[in-house]
Amino acid sequence: MELNRLFLLTIFLLHIKLSRMIPTRLVCDRRLIQKYISDSMELENQVNQCDELPLLQQPVLLPLVGFSLREWMAKTNQVKGQEVLRDLLTLVDGIAATQQELKQPCPSVLLQQLYGKASFFVLHLQSYGSQEPEATRQPEGTPELTSETNLRMIFQTYRQLLQGKLHFFFNDLRKEFSCGVDRHARSSE
């Protein structure tokens, strides 16, 4: 799985400038996270339209992405970022494992799209973490996991993660990133 992440990072770096890895626009423009949430719902709808989705022969481990808002608000942004990153990394690993097993074209194409979208957020969160003074290379702790054989649950977990933890995390980051007047100055650079 580490090889998949290294390969994805290499491709990503070849296509964008390092200076654009800071997720300021992603955080400051609320419409972007809403677009990604809508995209996740669309992917979930598309996978439901695939004919005869098989149950996975090998159960995949998925993060449990539900959370208590009260506990969430008590955490620092660094801890929140680590938690979301940990969940995304687990999800990306689960998607990769499922791709190796699945042979049907309809869900395979959608899984590939999901892998790219989830990996996009992994890279952005790793970029944010590298800017934190006490950031670690790997997220600390282990996520709570569930074993799943239903392919639809992979797509549902991604959507729930975007609608929940990632959405709230970006809301919290807006305060750190000076998204108001400063954003217009950056766009003219």
Side-chain angles (χ1 to χ4, degrees):
M1 299 302 161
E2 282 296 315
L3 188 56
N4 283 343
R5 287 190 202 131
L6 182 60
F7 178 69
L8 184 64
L9 178 62
T10 304
I11 290 172
F12 184 74
L13 291 175
L14 290 173
H15 286 90
I16 68 167
K17 295 179 182 177
L18 285 174
S19 63
R20 294 185 180 240
M21 286 182 69
I22 300 171
T24 305
R25 180 167 181 251
L26 186 59
V27 169
C28 291
D29 189 347
R30 294 172 192 245
R31 295 171 299 178
L32 283 177
I33 189 64
Q34 291 304 321
K35 177 195 176 308
Y36 287 112
I37 291 170
S38 294
D39 289 350
S40 71
M41 290 176 177
E42 180 61 29
L43 274 177
E44 196 172 0
N45 287 335
Q46 288 176 359
V47 80
N48 288 330
Q49 294 173 8
C50 291
D51 292 332
E52 299 180 34
L53 284 178
L55 288 178
L56 301 172
Q57 292 176 0
Q58 286 285 38
V60 63
L61 293 177
L62 297 175
L64 292 174
V65 295
F67 66 101
S68 157
L69 189 56
R70 178 176 289 181
E71 290 174 13
W72 181 260
M73 298 308 283
K75 297 175 183 179
T76 66
N77 281 351
Q78 183 175 359
V79 170
K80 292 173 188 176
Q82 290 283 320
E83 188 174 319
V84 175
L85 179 59
R86 203 176 46 236
D87 288 347
L88 279 166
L89 288 169
T90 303
L91 182 62
V92 166
D93 287 346
I95 295 168
T98 304
Q99 285 177 308
Q100 292 174 357
E101 177 183 328
L102 208 58
K103 303 298 181 215
Q104 288 137 322
C106 178
S108 293
V109 168
L110 297 172
L111 268 175
Q112 184 61 39
Q113 290 176 24
L114 184 64
Y115 182 86
K117 290 176 184 297
S119 297
F120 167 81
F121 283 111
V122 166
L123 291 170
H124 278 291
L125 287 175
Q126 287 174 333
S127 170
Y128 167 74
S130 70
Q131 314 217 358
E132 290 293 306
E134 299 175 16
T136 57
R137 291 188 89 63
Q138 288 295 321
E140 295 176 7
T142 54
E144 294 181 41
L145 303 174
T146 182
S147 181
E148 190 57 62
T149 57
N150 185 340
L151 184 62
R152 290 178 178 93
M153 291 305 296
I154 297 172
F155 291 85
Q156 183 179 351
T157 299
Y158 174 70
R159 178 188 46 81
Q160 289 173 339
L161 184 57
L162 261 60
Q163 287 178 316
K165 289 180 182 179
L166 192 66
H167 179 83
F168 281 101
F169 179 55
F170 282 1
N171 280 335
D172 293 338
L173 285 181
R174 278 187 199 99
K175 299 168 193 160
E176 278 185 30
F177 276 97
S178 306
C179 291
V181 179
D182 221 32
R183 189 176 86 197
H184 298 296
R186 281 190 207 119
S187 64
S188 63
E189 290 177 1

